[in-house]
Amino acid sequence: MVFFMEMTLRWYGSKFDTVTLKQIRQIPGVTGVITTLYDTAPGEVWSRERIRAMKEEVEAAGLHVAGIESVNIHDAIKTGAPERDKYIDNYIETLENLGKEDLHLVCYNFMPVFDWTRTELARMRPDGSTVLAYTQEAVDALDPEKMFESIAGDMNGTVMPGWEPERMEHVKELFEMYKEVDDEKLFENLKYFLKKIMPVCDKYDINMAIHPDDPAWSVFGLPRIIINKKNILRMMEMVDNPHNGVTFCSGSYGTNLENDLPDMIRSLKGRIHFAHVRNLKFNSPTDFEEAAHLSSDGTFDMYEIMKALYEIGFTGPIRPDHGRMIWDEVAMPGYGLYDRALGATYLNGLWEAIVKGAK
């Protein structure tokens, strides 16, 4: 049997993204976008009117909305604060509105304080491209309250997801909120959230696809739970509903070289609702940088990753992830047009080779 996935590109909306829908439409094989209402705050209800306007804008460009990334989760939910039920009710209302507008995929994360962590946004590679990079030594030397300041100058005038200035102004308060939250407590709070939202997911057939923590280990002593096969299977079992699934991000799980990415994919058959496929180049186990998507440019065997997705019958949206800055492009670091377009075309080529090889 031949399985078909859908190639997509992440798009932050015309007010925030340097890449246009017209440009995305011209990437061979890309038929949809993964988007969001980027100017909404965690805990805010998304109205049907705004969701519909977003869909109509994308469809007018000859594409469609393949999924949402992200409906961000309020810290009260992650920390289990007394007011969490209010924010869960708001989240449920947003899911209802998405379902009514025929959108059925939400990628989200449950990471404390920082959605993802990099110590450099523009590390120069030998070919002259620049990439996102991480070194544990740099993190260990940083005051977490100064983390945003250390990278803000390389954002090219954009607002990066998870690093919104208004959020970063309250880093000290956020750390205080999480001081009593360890891995077990974070698991409990995630379970509570998922159990509350599953009825609306069942009603509207909405797949919740949790994104792994990035990097896949504790940073600044904060708990990290979506980091490996054992933990993700635990999450599946604690709320055993097919709508409780994952975004399989090879770059995030791959930050820990102990994670066998093709094996993880095969262990999650039926529960991978969305895939981010990208490559990393390791200089040491705790020093890595984003690479081109091509296998030979980094550490991962991209063919085997795509082959594992095919073998489990994956039919959801897939997208290239963090790209290099190449050809003098100035864009949101990791989210320019050129290298992600190359990545999409490369991944489509791998998929075509796998499909033909399976016949």
mmCIF file of all heavy atoms in Angstrom, residues 85-125:
data_model
loop_
_atom_site.group_PDB
_atom_site.id
_atom_site.type_symbol
_atom_site.label_atom_id
_atom_site.label_comp_id
_atom_site.label_asym_id
_atom_site.label_seq_id
_atom_site.Cartn_x
_atom_site.Cartn_y
_atom_site.Cartn_z
ATOM 1 N N ASP A 85 -8.048 25.999 35.822
ATOM 2 C CA ASP A 85 -9.298 25.567 35.179
ATOM 3 C C ASP A 85 -9.874 26.662 34.285
ATOM 4 O O ASP A 85 -10.459 26.365 33.235
ATOM 5 C CB ASP A 85 -10.323 25.127 36.221
ATOM 6 C CG ASP A 85 -10.004 23.755 36.811
ATOM 7 O OD1 ASP A 85 -9.378 22.941 36.100
ATOM 8 O OD2 ASP A 85 -10.365 23.502 37.962
ATOM 9 N N LYS A 86 -9.710 27.908 34.694
ATOM 10 C CA LYS A 86 -10.187 29.020 33.861
ATOM 11 C C LYS A 86 -9.483 29.013 32.502
ATOM 12 O O LYS A 86 -10.116 29.174 31.447
ATOM 13 C CB LYS A 86 -9.932 30.349 34.579
ATOM 14 C CG LYS A 86 -10.276 31.582 33.754
ATOM 15 C CD LYS A 86 -9.983 32.867 34.504
ATOM 16 C CE LYS A 86 -8.492 33.160 34.558
ATOM 17 N NZ LYS A 86 -8.202 34.509 35.110
ATOM 18 N N TYR A 87 -8.178 28.786 32.536
ATOM 19 C CA TYR A 87 -7.414 28.799 31.291
ATOM 20 C C TYR A 87 -7.647 27.522 30.473
ATOM 21 O O TYR A 87 -7.584 27.562 29.237
ATOM 22 C CB TYR A 87 -5.935 29.010 31.583
ATOM 23 C CG TYR A 87 -5.656 30.409 32.088
ATOM 24 C CD1 TYR A 87 -5.293 30.631 33.418
ATOM 25 C CD2 TYR A 87 -5.787 31.504 31.250
ATOM 26 C CE1 TYR A 87 -5.056 31.916 33.884
ATOM 27 C CE2 TYR A 87 -5.547 32.793 31.708
ATOM 28 C CZ TYR A 87 -5.192 32.997 33.028
ATOM 29 O OH TYR A 87 -4.969 34.273 33.476
ATOM 30 N N ILE A 88 -7.914 26.420 31.138
ATOM 31 C CA ILE A 88 -8.276 25.202 30.401
ATOM 32 C C ILE A 88 -9.620 25.391 29.709
ATOM 33 O O ILE A 88 -9.805 24.984 28.553
ATOM 34 C CB ILE A 88 -8.288 23.980 31.339
ATOM 35 C CG1 ILE A 88 -6.859 23.647 31.803
ATOM 36 C CG2 ILE A 88 -8.901 22.766 30.627
ATOM 37 C CD1 ILE A 88 -6.772 22.545 32.837
ATOM 38 N N ASP A 89 -10.568 26.028 30.377
ATOM 39 C CA ASP A 89 -11.861 26.318 29.744
ATOM 40 C C ASP A 89 -11.676 27.199 28.512
ATOM 41 O O ASP A 89 -12.330 26.978 27.478
ATOM 42 C CB ASP A 89 -12.796 27.010 30.743
ATOM 43 C CG ASP A 89 -13.311 26.064 31.826
ATOM 44 O OD1 ASP A 89 -13.218 24.833 31.635
ATOM 45 O OD2 ASP A 89 -13.791 26.563 32.864
ATOM 46 N N ASN A 90 -10.789 28.178 28.602
ATOM 47 C CA ASN A 90 -10.503 29.014 27.438
ATOM 48 C C ASN A 90 -9.889 28.188 26.309
ATOM 49 O O ASN A 90 -10.209 28.384 25.126
ATOM 50 C CB ASN A 90 -9.538 30.147 27.820
ATOM 51 C CG ASN A 90 -10.199 31.223 28.653
ATOM 52 O OD1 ASN A 90 -11.402 31.186 28.889
ATOM 53 N ND2 ASN A 90 -9.411 32.185 29.115
ATOM 54 N N TYR A 91 -9.001 27.277 26.676
ATOM 55 C CA TYR A 91 -8.366 26.417 25.670
ATOM 56 C C TYR A 91 -9.410 25.544 24.984
ATOM 57 O O TYR A 91 -9.397 25.378 23.755
ATOM 58 C CB TYR A 91 -7.301 25.542 26.341
ATOM 59 C CG TYR A 91 -6.198 25.094 25.420
ATOM 60 C CD1 TYR A 91 -4.975 25.762 25.393
ATOM 61 C CD2 TYR A 91 -6.353 23.995 24.574
ATOM 62 C CE1 TYR A 91 -3.941 25.355 24.552
ATOM 63 C CE2 TYR A 91 -5.328 23.579 23.734
ATOM 64 C CZ TYR A 91 -4.124 24.264 23.725
ATOM 65 O OH TYR A 91 -3.118 23.858 22.881
ATOM 66 N N ILE A 92 -10.326 25.007 25.767
ATOM 67 C CA ILE A 92 -11.394 24.172 25.210
ATOM 68 C C ILE A 92 -12.256 24.989 24.246
ATOM 69 O O ILE A 92 -12.636 24.499 23.167
ATOM 70 C CB ILE A 92 -12.245 23.567 26.345
ATOM 71 C CG1 ILE A 92 -11.441 22.471 27.061
ATOM 72 C CG2 ILE A 92 -13.567 23.007 25.813
ATOM 73 C CD1 ILE A 92 -12.086 21.982 28.353
ATOM 74 N N GLU A 93 -12.542 26.230 24.600
ATOM 75 C CA GLU A 93 -13.333 27.086 23.703
ATOM 76 C C GLU A 93 -12.595 27.334 22.392
ATOM 77 O O GLU A 93 -13.198 27.321 21.310
ATOM 78 C CB GLU A 93 -13.657 28.411 24.399
ATOM 79 C CG GLU A 93 -14.622 29.281 23.613
ATOM 80 C CD GLU A 93 -15.041 30.544 24.351
ATOM 81 O OE1 GLU A 93 -14.819 30.617 25.580
ATOM 82 O OE2 GLU A 93 -15.597 31.449 23.680
ATOM 83 N N THR A 94 -11.284 27.538 22.487
ATOM 84 C CA THR A 94 -10.490 27.701 21.265
ATOM 85 C C THR A 94 -10.534 26.437 20.414
ATOM 86 O O THR A 94 -10.703 26.501 19.185
ATOM 87 C CB THR A 94 -9.033 28.050 21.627
ATOM 88 O OG1 THR A 94 -8.994 29.351 22.209
ATOM 89 C CG2 THR A 94 -8.135 28.030 20.396
ATOM 90 N N LEU A 95 -10.391 25.271 21.053
ATOM 91 C CA LEU A 95 -10.467 24.013 20.300
ATOM 92 C C LEU A 95 -11.827 23.848 19.634
ATOM 93 O O LEU A 95 -11.915 23.396 18.475
ATOM 94 C CB LEU A 95 -10.173 22.830 21.225
ATOM 95 C CG LEU A 95 -8.741 22.700 21.754
ATOM 96 C CD1 LEU A 95 -8.629 21.518 22.714
ATOM 97 C CD2 LEU A 95 -7.728 22.556 20.616
ATOM 98 N N GLU A 96 -12.890 24.209 20.327
ATOM 99 C CA GLU A 96 -14.231 24.150 19.734
ATOM 100 C C GLU A 96 -14.303 25.031 18.488
ATOM 101 O O GLU A 96 -14.843 24.616 17.445
ATOM 102 C CB GLU A 96 -15.288 24.607 20.743
ATOM 103 C CG GLU A 96 -15.564 23.610 21.849
ATOM 104 C CD GLU A 96 -16.548 24.149 22.871
ATOM 105 O OE1 GLU A 96 -16.707 25.393 22.965
ATOM 106 O OE2 GLU A 96 -17.168 23.323 23.578
ATOM 107 N N ASN A 97 -13.763 26.226 18.579
ATOM 108 C CA ASN A 97 -13.801 27.141 17.440
ATOM 109 C C ASN A 97 -12.951 26.635 16.285
ATOM 110 O O ASN A 97 -13.336 26.780 15.113
ATOM 111 C CB ASN A 97 -13.344 28.536 17.878
ATOM 112 C CG ASN A 97 -14.359 29.217 18.782
ATOM 113 O OD1 ASN A 97 -15.548 28.871 18.769
ATOM 114 N ND2 ASN A 97 -13.911 30.183 19.567
ATOM 115 N N LEU A 98 -11.816 26.032 16.579
ATOM 116 C CA LEU A 98 -11.007 25.425 15.516
ATOM 117 C C LEU A 98 -11.759 24.284 14.855
ATOM 118 O O LEU A 98 -11.779 24.161 13.620
ATOM 119 C CB LEU A 98 -9.673 24.930 16.095
ATOM 120 C CG LEU A 98 -8.665 25.997 16.504
ATOM 121 C CD1 LEU A 98 -7.518 25.379 17.304
ATOM 122 C CD2 LEU A 98 -8.105 26.735 15.286
ATOM 123 N N GLY A 99 -12.378 23.433 15.679
ATOM 124 C CA GLY A 99 -13.132 22.309 15.135
ATOM 125 C C GLY A 99 -14.287 22.765 14.256
ATOM 126 O O GLY A 99 -14.540 22.188 13.181
ATOM 127 N N LYS A 100 -14.989 23.788 14.689
ATOM 128 C CA LYS A 100 -16.112 24.318 13.908
ATOM 129 C C LYS A 100 -15.652 24.910 12.581
ATOM 130 O O LYS A 100 -16.423 24.969 11.625
ATOM 131 C CB LYS A 100 -16.870 25.368 14.721
ATOM 132 C CG LYS A 100 -17.662 24.780 15.888
ATOM 133 C CD LYS A 100 -18.242 25.870 16.781
ATOM 134 C CE LYS A 100 -18.987 25.266 17.969
ATOM 135 N NZ LYS A 100 -19.446 26.318 18.914
ATOM 136 N N GLU A 101 -14.389 25.344 12.534
ATOM 137 C CA GLU A 101 -13.821 25.875 11.293
ATOM 138 C C GLU A 101 -13.046 24.799 10.521
ATOM 139 O O GLU A 101 -12.261 25.105 9.627
ATOM 140 C CB GLU A 101 -12.914 27.066 11.602
ATOM 141 C CG GLU A 101 -13.657 28.288 12.123
ATOM 142 C CD GLU A 101 -14.713 28.815 11.155
ATOM 143 O OE1 GLU A 101 -14.468 28.778 9.927
ATOM 144 O OE2 GLU A 101 -15.788 29.257 11.624
ATOM 145 N N ASP A 102 -13.288 23.541 10.878
ATOM 146 C CA ASP A 102 -12.751 22.391 10.143
ATOM 147 C C ASP A 102 -11.222 22.297 10.205
ATOM 148 O O ASP A 102 -10.575 21.883 9.247
ATOM 149 C CB ASP A 102 -13.211 22.426 8.675
ATOM 150 C CG ASP A 102 -13.118 21.060 8.002
ATOM 151 O OD1 ASP A 102 -13.217 20.037 8.708
ATOM 152 O OD2 ASP A 102 -12.927 21.022 6.759
ATOM 153 N N LEU A 103 -10.656 22.659 11.367
ATOM 154 C CA LEU A 103 -9.227 22.475 11.602
ATOM 155 C C LEU A 103 -9.059 21.405 12.672
ATOM 156 O O LEU A 103 -9.690 21.471 13.728
ATOM 157 C CB LEU A 103 -8.582 23.788 12.036
ATOM 158 C CG LEU A 103 -8.591 24.891 10.971
ATOM 159 C CD1 LEU A 103 -8.038 26.190 11.528
ATOM 160 C CD2 LEU A 103 -7.807 24.470 9.732
ATOM 161 N N HIS A 104 -8.203 20.434 12.418
ATOM 162 C CA HIS A 104 -8.192 19.213 13.226
ATOM 163 C C HIS A 104 -6.814 18.800 13.744
ATOM 164 O O HIS A 104 -6.644 17.665 14.180
ATOM 165 C CB HIS A 104 -8.804 18.072 12.408
ATOM 166 C CG HIS A 104 -10.175 18.368 11.904
ATOM 167 N ND1 HIS A 104 -11.295 18.315 12.713
ATOM 168 C CD2 HIS A 104 -10.602 18.761 10.667
ATOM 169 C CE1 HIS A 104 -12.358 18.641 12.003
ATOM 170 N NE2 HIS A 104 -11.971 18.925 10.769
ATOM 171 N N LEU A 105 -5.851 19.712 13.714
ATOM 172 C CA LEU A 105 -4.514 19.397 14.220
ATOM 173 C C LEU A 105 -3.976 20.581 14.998
ATOM 174 O O LEU A 105 -3.957 21.705 14.489
ATOM 175 C CB LEU A 105 -3.552 19.079 13.070
ATOM 176 C CG LEU A 105 -2.065 18.959 13.456
ATOM 177 C CD1 LEU A 105 -1.812 17.727 14.318
ATOM 178 C CD2 LEU A 105 -1.180 18.927 12.210
ATOM 179 N N VAL A 106 -3.530 20.320 16.229
ATOM 180 C CA VAL A 106 -2.892 21.352 17.042
ATOM 181 C C VAL A 106 -1.575 20.809 17.579
ATOM 182 O O VAL A 106 -1.544 19.817 18.312
ATOM 183 C CB VAL A 106 -3.785 21.797 18.226
ATOM 184 C CG1 VAL A 106 -3.017 22.736 19.150
ATOM 185 C CG2 VAL A 106 -5.060 22.463 17.711
ATOM 186 N N CYS A 107 -0.480 21.451 17.191
ATOM 187 C CA CYS A 107 0.834 21.183 17.766
ATOM 188 C C CYS A 107 1.018 22.138 18.938
ATOM 189 O O CYS A 107 0.751 23.333 18.816
ATOM 190 C CB CYS A 107 1.914 21.401 16.702
ATOM 191 S SG CYS A 107 3.609 21.383 17.304
ATOM 192 N N TYR A 108 1.457 21.606 20.065
ATOM 193 C CA TYR A 108 1.637 22.427 21.260
ATOM 194 C C TYR A 108 2.839 21.884 22.029
ATOM 195 O O TYR A 108 3.370 20.824 21.691
ATOM 196 C CB TYR A 108 0.384 22.391 22.146
ATOM 197 C CG TYR A 108 0.175 21.051 22.835
ATOM 198 C CD1 TYR A 108 0.465 20.872 24.186
ATOM 199 C CD2 TYR A 108 -0.274 19.930 22.122
ATOM 200 C CE1 TYR A 108 0.291 19.644 24.815
ATOM 201 C CE2 TYR A 108 -0.445 18.700 22.732
ATOM 202 C CZ TYR A 108 -0.153 18.560 24.074
ATOM 203 O OH TYR A 108 -0.309 17.342 24.690
ATOM 204 N N ASN A 109 3.277 22.612 23.051
ATOM 205 C CA ASN A 109 4.347 22.079 23.888
ATOM 206 C C ASN A 109 4.017 22.320 25.351
ATOM 207 O O ASN A 109 3.131 23.103 25.689
ATOM 208 C CB ASN A 109 5.704 22.684 23.509
ATOM 209 C CG ASN A 109 5.872 24.108 23.992
ATOM 210 O OD1 ASN A 109 6.036 24.371 25.185
ATOM 211 N ND2 ASN A 109 5.837 25.058 23.057
ATOM 212 N N PHE A 110 4.723 21.619 26.210
ATOM 213 C CA PHE A 110 4.523 21.736 27.664
ATOM 214 C C PHE A 110 5.843 22.065 28.341
ATOM 215 O O PHE A 110 6.152 21.569 29.424
ATOM 216 C CB PHE A 110 3.937 20.427 28.205
ATOM 217 C CG PHE A 110 2.876 20.625 29.265
ATOM 218 C CD1 PHE A 110 1.621 21.126 28.942
ATOM 219 C CD2 PHE A 110 3.119 20.305 30.593
ATOM 220 C CE1 PHE A 110 0.635 21.302 29.912
ATOM 221 C CE2 PHE A 110 2.155 20.472 31.577
ATOM 222 C CZ PHE A 110 0.905 20.972 31.236
ATOM 223 N N MET A 111 6.640 22.913 27.702
ATOM 224 C CA MET A 111 7.957 23.279 28.219
ATOM 225 C C MET A 111 7.854 24.455 29.191
ATOM 226 O O MET A 111 7.200 25.450 28.874
ATOM 227 C CB MET A 111 8.895 23.653 27.068
ATOM 228 C CG MET A 111 9.418 22.475 26.286
ATOM 229 S SD MET A 111 10.562 22.975 24.959
ATOM 230 C CE MET A 111 9.465 22.926 23.531
ATOM 231 N N PRO A 112 8.483 24.375 30.337
ATOM 232 C CA PRO A 112 8.506 25.500 31.269
ATOM 233 C C PRO A 112 9.414 26.638 30.804
ATOM 234 O O PRO A 112 10.511 26.402 30.306
ATOM 235 C CB PRO A 112 9.061 24.888 32.560
ATOM 236 C CG PRO A 112 8.934 23.412 32.392
ATOM 237 C CD PRO A 112 9.083 23.169 30.921
ATOM 238 N N VAL A 113 8.938 27.846 30.946
ATOM 239 C CA VAL A 113 9.670 29.106 30.747
ATOM 240 C C VAL A 113 10.118 29.309 29.306
ATOM 241 O O VAL A 113 9.615 30.186 28.604
ATOM 242 C CB VAL A 113 10.876 29.250 31.716
ATOM 243 C CG1 VAL A 113 11.528 30.633 31.548
ATOM 244 C CG2 VAL A 113 10.443 29.051 33.159
ATOM 245 N N PHE A 114 11.094 28.517 28.845
ATOM 246 C CA PHE A 114 11.612 28.671 27.487
ATOM 247 C C PHE A 114 11.040 27.582 26.582
ATOM 248 O O PHE A 114 11.176 26.395 26.868
ATOM 249 C CB PHE A 114 13.143 28.570 27.474
ATOM 250 C CG PHE A 114 13.842 29.569 28.356
ATOM 251 C CD1 PHE A 114 14.589 29.145 29.445
ATOM 252 C CD2 PHE A 114 13.747 30.931 28.110
ATOM 253 C CE1 PHE A 114 15.248 30.052 30.263
ATOM 254 C CE2 PHE A 114 14.396 31.850 28.929
ATOM 255 C CZ PHE A 114 15.152 31.415 30.004
ATOM 256 N N ASP A 115 10.413 27.986 25.452
ATOM 257 C CA ASP A 115 9.876 26.991 24.525
ATOM 258 C C ASP A 115 10.977 26.150 23.899
ATOM 259 O O ASP A 115 10.787 24.988 23.585
ATOM 260 C CB ASP A 115 9.087 27.680 23.398
ATOM 261 C CG ASP A 115 7.656 27.978 23.813
ATOM 262 O OD1 ASP A 115 7.351 27.875 25.010
ATOM 263 O OD2 ASP A 115 6.851 28.318 22.934
ATOM 264 N N TRP A 116 12.124 26.736 23.689
ATOM 265 C CA TRP A 116 13.285 26.035 23.146
ATOM 266 C C TRP A 116 14.493 26.881 23.533
ATOM 267 O O TRP A 116 14.357 28.062 23.859
ATOM 268 C CB TRP A 116 13.201 25.874 21.627
ATOM 269 C CG TRP A 116 12.887 27.152 20.916
ATOM 270 C CD1 TRP A 116 11.659 27.663 20.649
ATOM 271 C CD2 TRP A 116 13.821 28.125 20.422
ATOM 272 N NE1 TRP A 116 11.760 28.887 20.026
ATOM 273 C CE2 TRP A 116 13.087 29.198 19.876
ATOM 274 C CE3 TRP A 116 15.223 28.190 20.401
ATOM 275 C CZ2 TRP A 116 13.688 30.319 19.303
ATOM 276 C CZ3 TRP A 116 15.826 29.306 19.831
ATOM 277 C CH2 TRP A 116 15.053 30.355 19.283
ATOM 278 N N THR A 117 15.658 26.293 23.505
ATOM 279 C CA THR A 117 16.846 27.018 23.937
ATOM 280 C C THR A 117 17.973 26.863 22.923
ATOM 281 O O THR A 117 18.323 25.749 22.536
ATOM 282 C CB THR A 117 17.336 26.507 25.311
ATOM 283 O OG1 THR A 117 16.247 26.524 26.233
ATOM 284 C CG2 THR A 117 18.442 27.388 25.847
ATOM 285 N N ARG A 118 18.498 27.990 22.483
ATOM 286 C CA ARG A 118 19.709 28.026 21.678
ATOM 287 C C ARG A 118 20.619 29.100 22.260
ATOM 288 O O ARG A 118 20.144 30.103 22.785
ATOM 289 C CB ARG A 118 19.401 28.354 20.206
ATOM 290 C CG ARG A 118 18.626 27.271 19.467
ATOM 291 C CD ARG A 118 19.451 26.020 19.261
ATOM 292 N NE ARG A 118 18.731 25.005 18.502
ATOM 293 C CZ ARG A 118 17.911 24.105 19.038
ATOM 294 N NH1 ARG A 118 17.698 24.094 20.343
ATOM 295 N NH2 ARG A 118 17.301 23.217 18.295
ATOM 296 N N THR A 119 21.912 28.888 22.151
ATOM 297 C CA THR A 119 22.860 29.877 22.668
ATOM 298 C C THR A 119 23.388 30.786 21.569
ATOM 299 O O THR A 119 24.001 31.810 21.853
ATOM 300 C CB THR A 119 24.037 29.177 23.367
ATOM 301 O OG1 THR A 119 24.620 28.212 22.481
ATOM 302 C CG2 THR A 119 23.556 28.480 24.630
ATOM 303 N N GLU A 120 23.152 30.400 20.308
ATOM 304 C CA GLU A 120 23.531 31.249 19.177
ATOM 305 C C GLU A 120 22.428 31.152 18.124
ATOM 306 O O GLU A 120 21.882 30.073 17.875
ATOM 307 C CB GLU A 120 24.845 30.779 18.550
ATOM 308 C CG GLU A 120 26.055 30.835 19.473
ATOM 309 C CD GLU A 120 27.234 30.071 18.889
ATOM 310 O OE1 GLU A 120 27.827 30.549 17.904
ATOM 311 O OE2 GLU A 120 27.561 28.994 19.429
ATOM 312 N N LEU A 121 22.125 32.286 17.503
ATOM 313 C CA LEU A 121 21.134 32.302 16.424
ATOM 314 C C LEU A 121 21.785 32.481 15.062
ATOM 315 O O LEU A 121 21.111 32.390 14.040
ATOM 316 C CB LEU A 121 20.111 33.429 16.643
ATOM 317 C CG LEU A 121 19.305 33.380 17.935
ATOM 318 C CD1 LEU A 121 18.278 34.511 17.951
ATOM 319 C CD2 LEU A 121 18.616 32.030 18.105
ATOM 320 N N ALA A 122 23.088 32.745 15.048
ATOM 321 C CA ALA A 122 23.757 33.006 13.767
ATOM 322 C C ALA A 122 25.197 32.510 13.793
ATOM 323 O O ALA A 122 26.136 33.252 13.500
ATOM 324 C CB ALA A 122 23.705 34.496 13.436
ATOM 325 N N ARG A 123 25.390 31.235 14.158
ATOM 326 C CA ARG A 123 26.746 30.664 14.106
ATOM 327 C C ARG A 123 27.166 30.499 12.650
ATOM 328 O O ARG A 123 26.432 29.913 11.837
ATOM 329 C CB ARG A 123 26.795 29.320 14.814
ATOM 330 C CG ARG A 123 28.175 28.673 14.767
ATOM 331 C CD ARG A 123 28.213 27.296 15.385
ATOM 332 N NE ARG A 123 28.130 27.342 16.848
ATOM 333 C CZ ARG A 123 28.188 26.257 17.621
ATOM 334 N NH1 ARG A 123 28.325 25.051 17.071
ATOM 335 N NH2 ARG A 123 28.100 26.369 18.940
ATOM 336 N N MET A 124 28.333 30.991 12.327
ATOM 337 C CA MET A 124 28.826 30.906 10.959
ATOM 338 C C MET A 124 29.365 29.507 10.675
ATOM 339 O O MET A 124 30.171 28.970 11.433
ATOM 340 C CB MET A 124 29.937 31.937 10.737
ATOM 341 C CG MET A 124 30.459 31.995 9.316
ATOM 342 S SD MET A 124 29.323 32.798 8.152
ATOM 343 C CE MET A 124 29.488 34.512 8.668
ATOM 344 N N ARG A 125 28.912 28.944 9.562
ATOM 345 C CA ARG A 125 29.429 27.642 9.126
ATOM 346 C C ARG A 125 30.490 27.848 8.047
ATOM 347 O O ARG A 125 30.592 28.936 7.466
ATOM 348 C CB ARG A 125 28.285 26.765 8.589
ATOM 349 C CG ARG A 125 27.190 26.520 9.631
ATOM 350 C CD ARG A 125 26.235 25.443 9.172
ATOM 351 N NE ARG A 125 26.812 24.119 9.372
ATOM 352 C CZ ARG A 125 26.486 23.054 8.636
ATOM 353 N NH1 ARG A 125 25.645 23.158 7.628
ATOM 354 N NH2 ARG A 125 27.033 21.889 8.887
#
